[in-house]
Amino acid sequence: MKTDRRRFLKVAGISALAFASGMAQLAGEAHAQVAPGKYLPREGSLTAKRWAMVIDTRRFASQEDYAPCIEACNRAHNIPDIPGDKNVKWTWTDSFDRVFPDDMNNHLNTAVRSKPYLLLCNHCTNPPCVRVCPTQATYKMEDGIVAMDYHRCIGCRFCMAGCPYGARSFNFVDPRNYLPDNPPNPAFPTRMIGVVEKCNFCVERLNEGKLPACVVASNGKILFGDLEDPNSTVRQALANNFSIRRKPSLGTQPGVYYLI
């Protein structure tokens, strides 16, 4: 009887260990499918050590100048057009004082202070949104892009509270009922109610060898390239012009620069 009991416990222990190992392997495989390697570089894709964007605000005179960039982003990513204060936005504009609230120079040129400025996710080097996300739905890729896995998002909105730039939107209603195009762009997934979304630096287009939609629509007014490459267009623009970033005192190191 004692021998049979020991044999039973031994077999049960081995079975439990094998089951746990199998579950761990499955969990690891499931995590790998949504990990930062989701958009793996492939033949023809655009790659960089650290993607960055430079917006030449001197070439944007009014809200209308930004419209093609915003519309291109909306159409490329099936961004809904929801009436009222529940709207979802990836790129939008605002005034100088709201975009750069910590600028202490009260004697800037009137034209600089009176123009609108384009806003989007800053894809920070030290993104607080990544640190506060409890499910790793928000993660930072090796090339500096702060991406999202909508399937992992539980709608807690911690990332919205953690982002100091207001770059994230929450789907309070079903966004699929307010898509600007019918049918929507099949190259990018639509989202559902209860998840957060934001600009992704067009990572899906980079993977296809294409520049971000807003960059293409800007006709050279917005530059995009590798911040670690001294010969890239963004590095050349930053070296030869005066630029500022949003809320630099926070230490997030934004990846979006503005030429003033």
Side-chain angles (χ1 to χ4, degrees), residues 208-229:
E208 296 176 353
K210 303 175 183 177
L211 287 171
C214 64
V215 175
V216 175
S218 73
N219 292 321
K221 300 174 185 176
I222 300 178
L223 305 176
F224 193 78
D226 190 351
L227 193 64
E228 297 297 321
D229 180 4

Side-chain angles (χ1 to χ4, degrees), residues 10 108 113 142 164 246:
K10 181 178 180 180
L108 281 176
R113 284 196 174 274
E142 292 182 359
R246 299 190 65 199

Side-chain angles (χ1 to χ4, degrees), residues 16-37:
L17 179 61
F19 177 78
S21 300
M23 292 302 292
Q25 181 178 359
L26 290 175
E29 291 175 354
H31 176 73
Q33 293 175 1
V34 296

Side-chain angles (χ1 to χ4, degrees), residues 134-255:
T135 64
Q136 295 182 340
T138 293
Y139 59 90
K140 182 182 174 185
M141 300 176 64
E142 292 182 359
D143 56 13
I145 292 178
V146 177
M148 282 200 65
D149 186 330
Y150 305 117
H151 298 291
R152 282 200 166 201
C153 179
I154 60 174
C156 67
R157 289 181 277 175
F158 285 177
C159 61
M160 296 180 69
C163 175
Y165 304 103
R168 292 168 172 267
S169 296
F170 182 73
N171 287 289
F172 288 96
V173 297
D174 189 348
R176 292 166 179 163
N177 295 329
Y178 300 92
L179 297 179
D181 292 328
N182 189 15
N185 176 18
F188 197 82
T190 57
R191 278 74 70 196
M192 63 183 70
I193 187 173
V195 301
V196 177
E197 57 181 278
K198 67 170 191 68
C199 159
N200 66 351
F201 260 5
C202 280
V203 60
E204 79 288 346
R205 288 175 57 88
L206 297 174
N207 203 40
E208 296 176 353
K210 303 175 183 177
L211 287 171
C214 64
V215 175
V216 175
S218 73
N219 292 321
K221 300 174 185 176
I222 300 178
L223 305 176
F224 193 78
D226 190 351
L227 193 64
E228 297 297 321
D229 180 4
N231 297 316
S232 67
T233 56
V234 293
R235 280 288 296 273
Q236 292 296 315
L238 295 175
N240 297 308
N241 299 275
F242 175 72
S243 64
I244 59 177
R245 289 185 289 179
R246 299 190 65 199
K247 302 181 180 181
S249 60
L250 296 180
T252 61
Q253 293 295 318

